Amino acid sequence: MNVLQENIYKYLLDSISAGKLCKDDRIPTENELGEMFNTNRMNAHFAIKELERSGVLRRNKGQGTFVRHVPRIYSLGKLKSVATRRICVLNLCYSRSSQVHWNNRIINALEETLRESDIEIAYNDVSGFQTLEEYKELLETLLLEGCNGLIIIDNGENDFLIDHMEIFFKFHNNVYIFDRGFKQWQDMPYNVVSMNIFGEGLIAAEYLLMKGYVDVIFCKNCEDEHWLRERIRGMQFGFNRGQCKKEMVICEVSENGINCDLMQKIKAAPGKYTLAVQNDFLAARIIDYCSSAGLKVGKDFRTISFDDSAELRNYDLTTVSPALERIGKYLAAIVKKNVDKNDCKEILCVKINSELVVRSSC
């Protein structure tokens, strides 16, 4: 449909959904609609034919065109989406660490790629939602606006999506999840694009082995979460595959620094140890703590971490960076592929490999 046809199509649907046109009411003629929208009757004819095909209108020869069926909300949203190209991002993230991954790197790539196909993108911050009713109300609004799909940014901090997946599954078109490695989504009825957390650990291990750094201590300070287990598992796999004879030591550290035993190890053998740290934030804290004790990163010890946090660039961290630009482009590509299709589609679950960024800390 061209723009004028879309406008007439949406006008008729809006009139029906608002109760201005009820079942068995006669709609304006093609000439009347053409005058209302300052166009020819053929554009009105095309819009009406689309609604006839969907069963909303019926044409009585010699009498006019009438409302045959008033669609329910679900069907109405699906009909409206025919004349729209609109995706909505629902952002569940609210913590500081969440923004490390959902930031301008991924947003700019997503928007640029969607814009090439004239797909609109809107954003809704739902991080403060507490109840199922809040989500249902928003989804109903999006359906009525003719939204073609949802991109959901998972916060990884609860199982809301898993516990209530039916509210998104009922959404008439496509649902896409950007997962930061928190969950296993293979059995979920969503398209999922995630970071390859296991692969990140593997990348770190292969780099350390290539440099000859085999005295490695993995530093962590959080619970044994899925993403942390996968990073550690990836590193251990990499060392085993490289036939490294030394085991990677795992060390619990505090929020403010490292324990005395580890500090003594570093002091006793300057330059021997490499600290693989769960993320950049903790690596920065450890560097600060060691610096206060007179130990210099890159000389007395090395660090390799994960996430490539922009606000910590002054630490010059060697880090494994998620390929956010590629993730944004991939999300946009599968949205573009499906946005105009009405048939059954494949459900994709894809992991995008990260990239090593070498700096002075290792």
Side-chain angles (χ1 to χ4, degrees):
M1 284 187 280
N2 63 37
V3 174
L4 289 167
Q5 291 164 358
E6 288 178 0
N7 289 340
I8 296 170
Y9 179 94
K10 287 188 284 188
Y11 166 77
L12 292 170
L13 275 178
D14 286 340
S15 298
I16 292 169
S17 64
K20 296 177 182 178
L21 287 172
C22 300
K23 185 177 180 181
D24 297 325
D25 283 354
R26 187 176 70 83
I27 69 168
T29 66
E30 292 175 358
N31 286 329
E32 289 170 340
L33 287 169
E35 290 178 9
M36 289 170 61
F37 288 88
N38 195 28
T39 185
N40 58 62
R41 62 173 289 273
M42 290 309 298
N43 282 325
H45 176 78
F46 187 92
I48 290 171
K49 288 296 289 183
E50 282 295 305
L51 290 171
E52 277 189 85
R53 289 192 193 97
S54 64
V56 174
L57 300 179
R58 73 172 189 275
R59 191 183 298 268
N60 291 356
K61 191 172 182 180
Q63 295 180 321
T65 303
F66 298 82
V67 177
R68 178 182 182 182
H69 169 67
V70 177
R72 294 183 179 181
I73 290 176
Y74 172 88
S75 300
L76 186 63
K78 188 170 184 178
L79 289 168
K80 284 190 176 183
S81 73
V82 171
T84 59
R85 298 174 67 78
R86 184 179 301 119
I87 297 295
C88 183
V89 173
L90 301 184
N91 191 353
L92 277 69
C93 297
Y94 54 85
S95 65
R96 175 191 179 196
S97 61
S98 299
Q99 308 312 315
V100 171
H101 299 136
W102 182 252
N103 55 36
N104 285 336
R105 287 177 58 193
I106 189 170
I107 292 171
N108 291 342
L110 177 70
E111 290 181 346
E112 181 181 343
T113 309
L114 290 178
R115 198 179 300 121
E116 292 172 358
S117 295
D118 297 322
I119 298 175
E120 301 174 34
I121 186 167
Y123 296 90
N124 275 276
D125 182 356
V126 295
S127 60
F129 281 18
Q130 300 293 323
T131 67
L132 192 59
E133 290 307 312
E134 290 176 289
Y135 283 97
K136 287 181 176 179
E137 184 177 342
L138 174 61
L139 291 177
E140 183 175 312
T141 299
L142 294 176
L143 284 171
L144 289 174
E145 290 175 351
C147 191
N148 289 83
L150 302 175
I151 297 176
I152 299 174
I153 315 304
D154 181 32
N155 64 1
E157 296 172 24
N158 58 55
D159 291 327
F160 182 89
L161 290 182
I162 292 177
D163 293 340
H164 300 289
M165 63 183 182
E166 73 282 353
I167 68 169
F168 299 111
F169 192 51
K170 289 178 181 176
F171 197 80
H172 64 269
N173 269 329
N174 301 304
V175 177
Y176 307 87
I177 307 293
F178 169 48
D179 171 56
R180 297 180 294 127
F182 284 102
K183 297 185 178 75
Q184 293 178 306
W185 290 97
Q186 287 84 349
D187 296 327
M188 295 295 104
Y190 306 126
N191 296 282
V192 182
V193 180
S194 66
M195 296 153 44
N196 186 357
I197 303 298
F198 178 92
E200 289 187 338
L202 180 59
I203 288 170
E206 289 178 340
Y207 173 73
L208 296 178
L209 288 176
M210 183 267 294
K211 297 286 287 185
Y213 302 149
V214 295
D215 293 287
V216 179
I217 301 170
F218 192 97
C219 299
K220 67 186 187 78
N221 73 340
C222 70
E223 297 296 326
D224 192 22
E225 298 183 37
H226 174 71
W227 64 268
L228 183 56
R229 292 196 305 271
E230 286 297 287
R231 276 184 180 159
I232 293 173
R233 197 166 69 92
M235 288 199 71
Q236 290 174 331
F237 179 85
F239 285 126
N240 291 337
R241 190 167 71 173
Q243 297 183 333
C244 179
K245 295 181 180 180
K246 291 193 176 183
E247 289 290 327
M248 182 176 68
V249 177
I250 298 176
C251 179
E252 295 279 350
V253 302
S254 70
E255 284 288 330
N256 298 319
I258 58 181
N259 60 44
C260 294
D261 289 342
L262 183 53
M263 181 68 77
Q264 290 304 316
K265 277 187 176 183
I266 295 172
K267 286 183 176 180
K272 179 180 180 181
Y273 292 102
T274 300
L275 307 183
V277 190
Q278 70 179 32
N279 58 38
D280 290 344
F281 288 110
L282 185 58
R285 293 193 190 104
I286 289 174
I287 289 171
D288 288 342
Y289 185 77
C290 289
S291 178
S292 68
L295 299 173
K296 186 176 180 181
V297 66
K299 177 184 177 183
D300 297 305
F301 67 100
R302 294 167 293 274
T303 69
I304 185 169
S305 50
F306 302 86
D307 293 341
D308 195 23
S309 176
E311 63 183 279
L312 299 173
R313 291 286 163 75
N314 59 309
Y315 286 87
D316 212 25
L317 297 170
T318 290
T319 184
V320 180
S321 172
L324 298 181
E325 292 82 4
R326 281 197 284 125
I327 290 172
K329 289 180 180 179
Y330 193 91
L331 270 171
I334 58 175
V335 168
K336 285 167 59 177
K337 181 179 178 182
N338 292 332
V339 74
D340 293 324
K341 292 185 178 180
N342 294 317
D343 56 344
C344 293
K345 310 168 187 71
E346 295 177 330
I347 300 296
L348 301 175
C349 189
V350 179
K351 293 181 180 181
I352 304 294
N353 289 331
S354 298
E355 302 159 342
L356 179 70
V357 180
V358 178
R359 300 191 181 103
S360 65
S361 72
C362 188

